Amino acid sequence: MDYLLFVVFPYSCLVIFLIGSIYRYKNRPFTVSSLSSQFLEGKKLFLASQLFHWGLFVLFFGHLIAFLFPASVIIWSEKPVRLLILETTAFVFGLSAFFGLVLLIYRRLTDRRVQMVTNKMDFVVFIVLLVQIISGLLVAYTSRWGSAWFSTFLTPYLRSIFIFDPQIDAISSVTSLSLKIHVVSAFAIIGIIPFTRFMHFLVYPIDYAWRSYQQVMWNWNRKGIRTSKAHRVGPKSKNN
Amino acid sequence: MDIRSQVSMVFHLDKCIGCHTCSIACKNVWTDRKGAEYMWWNNVETKPGTGYPTKWEDQEIYKGGWEKNGNSVSLKGAGKLRGLKNIFHNPHLPVLDDYYEPWTYKYEDLFTAPEGDDQPTARPVSLVTGEHMDVKAGPNWDDDLGGSPDYARKDVNFKDLSASEQEVMFQLERMTFFYLPRICNHCLNPACVASCPSGAIYKRGEDGVVLINQQVCRAWRMCVTACPYKKSYYNWHTGKSEKCILCYPRLESGQAPACMHQCVGRIRYLGVMLYDADKIQEAASVNEDELVDAQLGIYLDPFDPEVIKEARKNGIADSTIEAAQKSPVYKFVKEWKIALPLHPEFRTLPNLFYVPALMPGMATVKDGVYEESNTQFLWGGINNDRLPIKYLANLFTAGNTDKIVEVLKRLMAVRWHRRQTTVGDVEQGIVDMAMGEVKMAADTADAIFRLTSLATFDERFVIPPAHREESIEMLESTADVKGSTGFGFKETPKRGW
Ligand code: SF4
Ligand code: SF4
């Protein structure tokens, strides 16, 4: 069972994610974005979207740093005060994401106009996000000081997944159900990216920061056109 | 010098009859689709009025356009830092209600209603939700309401007119209005392009048309905020922004854009302008009262051998240069100096110029008698314009009253001259005085009159050949798509995720 959940499932998700997103990006670029509904309802969206996105934004990078540089987090968390600061901050952003999400769900369910641009996959998105955020908050609350123990249980497992040598001993020994759910639903999120509005965070327009403001594109070959002496003047279209 | 060519436009406001034919032509061709019902790439507003979307000119609300920042300009409500920071919620985005909720009628009820004492009615239903709705606003809701408290008096361009000046203008006998048709200006310094985080919007080098690549647009909606003219629209159904494309498929095949072709008043002119792209930033960054001159200074004389040489070096086709020499826009804007950009203070360097309306503001009624400006009062009409000069200046010259008066005088001089020619009831001395003051020769006045009143289709629209044989967007191989679905965008614009 654990093998299925922690090896087969993650790899399937990763494969689906890779193939699916590349396919969608290449062949269905028109659909690559989040179908924004701010135009239809902007007021309620403000608080909900800001809470949700900034919460997730910080948590995402927090998790990323922890997995990439576990040592740095361990060293930071050596002092109880600093551990407390880190954990509280994370929890606050977790709550922010949670309340943001609840508001978003409420808005989508109740606003007539927004309902018109809502589809089935949006509910899938809501459900996995709810599971993910609630389980995350539970882990943080019940199995306290994750930033101290994660390197024992999670890091070896995740590293083994990403170096294609899956070892599930560490994760299997975990007793916390919410932690297991948190891990599995994280992979589920990755897996459904190509089929949902999650796609939009892959195209966060970071290159805007360094591109020039104005963009001009030429369809003609600017030099070649000069030599087009042979340009035939056909019959002029009849306009009037 | 970096010479490029730009397809530009002139709208002659004295000739616009406010028929909205242009809007309908555009709607039928391009925006009669789900999610685009509320969009009017071409719309006609009554001025004074609040326009569409409501109060679009008020950048305190919408934060569109550029603002001067030292020797340069920066986007008012968007830009790199703001854009990336506000990506989760675009704070100044107009919402549907700032435009209006599009609707249709339940016509079927007229046939299926059960027999009864009342006439069956077709109730309005929303095109967004499909539910019954009470219509409260529309794209030209303030049509012809030139004196109304709800619309005309809320016109943003009255901002620096004193209360008493406004009172005078809204006296019943003095009330007046004119029409202002608007499309995308295909600006030289487009705020929409600059604000797009995904880089989906671009200006075409060949003709300067500004387009949004629907495959690259990621629905961040920054262009909607950034365009001070509110001419980039968000399609809520496809989740993409859309804007006027200047009917580029028509232009490429030598036809005039639909709105211009259909224009009943024949107020619209289209032609090429050659300009120096190196000067864009400089021209966009000068002080407000110099903006018009700075912008007009960018456009180059297509007869100047030096300009022709540089243009050729830059790959501008001879046919395009020739079109620039015949361009009616060049004549109105540069030679005759009677057309002005709309709201130059937005600093996008718009390429749609307006010949300001001389009438109806000029004619006055005193004690029930129609009064025209008389001989002792050469520019009397202008000074007593029912639309305060300051108001017109706020629209067309960024508040520079001298500039707008200059243009009105030139238009007036043409009238004096033509009146003398056709009716002959004006003293020659008066005409000479008028023409002398604006330094206009008789044949120029005749040319202005001709192009204004008698111009043929080919004089009004001088479209440069698109050179389909050399282009890409304009040139998918016809053989390849023979028997298939056609050119370009082939996906159904349907979103399920
Ligand atoms: S009018 Fe607006 S949409 Fe059109 S080019 Fe200028 S900034 Fe862009
Ligand atoms: S079709 Fe021409 S005359 Fe009629 S409203 Fe449009 S611009 Fe004015």
Side-chain angles (χ1 to χ4, degrees):
Chain A
M1 184 62 190
D2 276 359
Y3 187 76
L4 210 62
L5 277 180
F6 295 112
V7 178
V8 179
F9 183 70
Y11 278 120
S12 325
C13 288
L14 288 171
V15 169
I16 295 175
F17 161 67
L18 274 178
I19 298 180
S21 336
I22 293 174
Y23 177 85
R24 185 165 165 196
Y25 189 81
K26 288 252 175 232
N27 295 307
R28 290 264 177 275
F30 185 65
T31 68
V32 179
S33 73
S34 188
L35 183 53
S36 165
S37 56
Q38 187 187 345
F39 179 71
L40 297 174
E41 195 292 310
K43 284 207 187 73
K44 284 179 251 168
L45 181 70
F46 173 73
L47 187 66
S49 174
Q50 297 283 32
L51 281 178
F52 172 74
H53 280 99
W54 287 111
L56 273 203
F57 192 79
V58 170
L59 290 178
F60 177 78
F61 283 102
H63 281 61
L64 199 69
I65 292 171
F67 290 131
L68 292 179
F69 315 105
S72 66
V73 180
I74 305 278
I75 292 172
W76 170 271
S77 303
E78 263 172 359
K79 293 253 167 57
V81 191
R82 295 199 294 204
L83 175 76
L84 202 65
I85 293 175
L86 181 75
E87 292 271 323
T88 326
T89 326
F91 200 73
V92 167
F93 278 98
L95 283 178
S96 147
F98 177 71
F99 286 118
L101 182 62
V102 171
L103 287 175
L104 284 173
I105 296 177
Y106 172 76
R107 168 179 175 271
R108 200 164 274 278
L109 289 180
T110 53
D111 193 282
R112 247 335 249 146
R113 288 185 185 165
V114 180
Q115 281 172 12
M116 304 315 293
V117 288
T118 302
N119 59 70
K120 279 181 237 127
M121 285 321 269
D122 290 340
F123 290 104
V124 177
V125 165
F126 281 152
I127 290 166
V128 286
L129 279 175
L130 269 183
V131 171
Q132 182 69 4
I133 296 176
I134 294 177
S135 64
L137 287 172
L138 281 178
V139 171
Y141 186 71
T142 54
S143 329
R144 227 160 298 172
W145 319 141
S147 43
W149 53 249
F150 77 96
S151 62
T152 332
F153 297 103
L154 280 176
T155 314
Y157 162 66
L158 284 169
R159 179 174 304 132
S160 75
I161 291 282
F162 286 108
I163 60 172
F164 300 106
D165 176 21
Q167 305 289 335
I168 57 168
D169 305 342
I171 189 88
S172 298
S173 64
V174 169
T175 47
S176 156
L177 184 63
S178 39
L179 180 60
K180 285 185 172 170
I181 294 180
H182 195 65
V183 171
V184 171
S185 82
F187 281 112
I189 288 183
I190 295 178
I192 61 170
I193 286 176
F195 311 103
T196 55
R197 60 197 309 138
F198 282 146
M199 197 68 189
H200 73 278
F201 79 78
L202 297 181
V203 289
Y204 182 81
I206 190 69
D207 52 339
Y208 183 45
W210 53 82
R211 84 145 214 254
S212 74
Y213 270 126
Q214 297 298 358
Q215 303 203 101
V216 177
M217 284 187 198
W218 298 83
N219 291 316
W220 296 346
N221 171 350
R222 289 179 81 179
K223 303 289 172 219
I225 188 84
R226 284 288 316 122
T227 60
S228 67
K229 283 268 156 51
H231 163 228
R232 278 179 298 123
V233 183
K236 195 174 175 289
S237 65
K238 284 265 170 287
N239 275 324
N240 55 344
Chain B
M1 251 200 287
D2 179 7
I3 299 190
R4 294 185 197 156
S5 81
Q6 169 75 44
V7 174
S8 323
M9 304 141 274
V10 165
F11 289 2
H12 198 307
L13 295 184
D14 254 337
K15 299 175 70 188
C16 179
I17 57 173
C19 61
H20 300 266
T21 309
C22 45
S23 308
I24 298 300
C26 177
K27 165 101 345 209
N28 281 338
V29 180
W30 300 120
T31 58
D32 196 9
R33 293 171 281 126
K34 187 159 187 200
E37 301 97 340
Y38 84 94
M39 296 179 198
W40 294 85
W41 293 355
N42 180 109
N43 75 303
V44 183
E45 292 171 7
T46 299
K47 282 279 157 198
T50 43
Y52 156 90
T54 308
K55 288 195 158 184
W56 62 271
E57 291 155 294
D58 192 346
Q59 303 312 342
E60 295 311 309
I61 304 177
Y62 293 115
K63 306 278 180 208
W66 302 84
E67 56 193 357
K68 189 167 155 64
N69 199 343
N71 283 330
S72 187
V73 283
S74 53
L75 287 167
K76 206 173 167 115
K80 293 186 175 174
L81 206 68
R82 282 202 205 95
L84 294 178
K85 189 184 79 190
N86 292 335
I87 206 142
F88 303 137
H89 185 278
N90 187 344
H92 307 292
L93 182 81
V95 294
L96 186 65
D97 295 317
D98 291 320
Y99 302 81
Y100 71 104
E101 183 164 355
W103 74 92
T104 183
Y105 295 94
K106 279 194 124 182
Y107 293 108
E108 219 190 281
D109 288 356
L110 296 178
F111 300 97
T112 54
E115 216 167 286
D117 293 339
D118 304 316
Q119 289 278 2
T121 52
R123 283 177 68 187
V125 282
S126 161
L127 280 170
V128 179
T129 61
E131 290 168 356
H132 287 300
M133 62 178 270
D134 292 323
V135 177
K136 296 217 184 66
N140 55 343
W141 213 238
D142 56 348
D143 210 30
D144 293 358
L145 296 179
S148 59
D150 279 355
Y151 301 105
R153 286 179 195 234
K154 291 193 179 143
D155 189 316
V156 184
N157 301 295
F158 290 131
K159 60 181 185 298
D160 47 10
L161 262 76
S162 69
S164 60
E165 279 172 309
Q166 293 192 32
E167 259 340 289
V168 173
M169 116 150 244
F170 285 116
Q171 279 167 11
L172 197 57
E173 315 73 43
R174 285 185 61 94
M175 270 197 287
T176 183
F177 62 80
F178 65 97
Y179 299 106
L180 183 74
R182 305 197 298 121
I183 65 172
C184 163
N185 299 287
H186 299 277
C187 309
L188 291 183
N189 186 31
C192 56
V193 176
S195 71
C196 175
S198 359
I201 315 184
Y202 61 99
K203 193 172 178 64
R204 297 210 300 189
E206 293 78 13
D207 51 12
V209 174
V210 176
L211 296 175
I212 303 179
N213 186 336
Q214 296 286 296
Q215 309 268 26
V216 182
C217 171
R218 305 272 178 251
W220 307 121
R221 312 167 307 282
M222 296 297 167
C223 55
V224 182
T225 309
C227 171
Y229 300 92
K230 291 289 164 283
K231 280 294 167 191
S232 178
Y233 301 87
Y234 179 71
N235 181 322
W236 54 266
H237 175 64
T238 60
K240 305 279 158 168
S241 294
E242 300 178 9
K243 62 181 283 302
C244 157
I245 57 176
L246 202 59
C247 288
Y248 75 83
R250 290 176 60 93
L251 280 184
E252 285 165 14
S253 51
Q255 293 173 291
C259 59
M260 309 204 180
H261 194 143
Q262 294 276 26
C263 178
V264 173
R266 304 192 173 184
I267 79 155
R268 300 182 173 210
Y269 301 82
L270 179 136
V272 172
M273 295 281 257
L274 298 180
Y275 69 98
D276 184 357
D278 284 340
K279 290 223 189 97
I280 292 176
Q281 186 176 353
E282 196 189 310
S285 318
V286 299
N287 290 329
E288 287 215 337
D289 51 341
E290 299 158 12
L291 270 168
V292 175
D293 285 331
Q295 178 179 355
L296 298 194
I298 293 193
Y299 302 106
L300 303 164
D301 179 0
F303 297 100
D304 180 347
E306 189 58 30
V307 170
I308 296 175
K309 201 179 105 215
E310 287 289 326
R312 285 192 174 146
K313 224 165 63 194
N314 236 2
I316 293 177
D318 285 349
S319 51
T320 307
I321 298 176
E322 207 187 305
Q325 292 171 341
K326 289 195 208 141
S327 164
V329 180
Y330 185 79
K331 293 194 184 114
F332 273 117
V333 175
K334 288 283 281 189
E335 271 179 31
W336 302 335
K337 301 194 174 54
I338 51 174
L340 296 162
L342 177 65
H343 287 302
E345 74 276 18
F346 297 159
R347 297 175 191 273
T348 62
L349 308 184
N351 284 303
L352 164 52
F353 301 90
Y354 292 89
V355 179
L358 199 57
M359 295 295 173
M362 216 63 69
T364 46
V365 177
K366 216 175 215 166
D367 303 329
V369 181
Y370 176 78
E371 263 204 358
E372 49 187 301
S373 3
N374 56 43
T375 37
Q376 319 137 320
F377 228 176
L378 192 53
W379 309 121
I382 294 174
N383 297 332
N384 291 329
D385 198 320
R386 287 192 280 169
L387 291 161
I389 293 298
K390 250 196 229 165
Y391 173 75
L392 292 175
N394 283 344
L395 272 169
F396 298 115
T397 57
N400 183 339
T401 43
D402 294 349
K403 197 87 212 152
I404 187 95
V405 169
E406 200 182 301
V407 171
L408 293 175
K409 280 187 177 174
R410 293 178 74 77
L411 290 168
M412 198 68 177
V414 176
R415 268 170 201 257
W416 282 121
H417 170 74
R418 288 304 304 173
R419 173 135 192 166
Q420 164 67 0
T421 315
T422 52
V423 187
D425 66 345
V426 194
E427 271 174 55
Q428 188 60 41
I430 298 291
V431 178
D432 291 345
M433 214 161 89
M435 300 285 277
E437 194 177 326
V438 298
K439 297 191 189 65
M440 188 187 287
D443 54 347
T444 309
D446 287 329
I448 293 176
F449 159 72
R450 217 202 115 66
L451 197 59
T452 303
S453 314
L454 308 171
T456 63
F457 195 97
D458 291 333
E459 285 170 309
R460 283 183 280 134
F461 307 115
V462 182
I463 299 161
H467 294 279
R468 293 172 83 97
E469 74 284 4
E470 303 268 349
S471 55
I472 298 170
E473 205 155 61
M474 318 166 178
L475 170 132
E476 279 187 71
S477 166
T478 40
D480 283 357
V481 288
K482 201 173 168 196
S484 72
T485 43
F487 297 106
F489 199 75
K490 293 177 197 116
E491 212 168 312
T492 335
K494 187 177 162 294
R495 293 288 301 268
W497 40 20

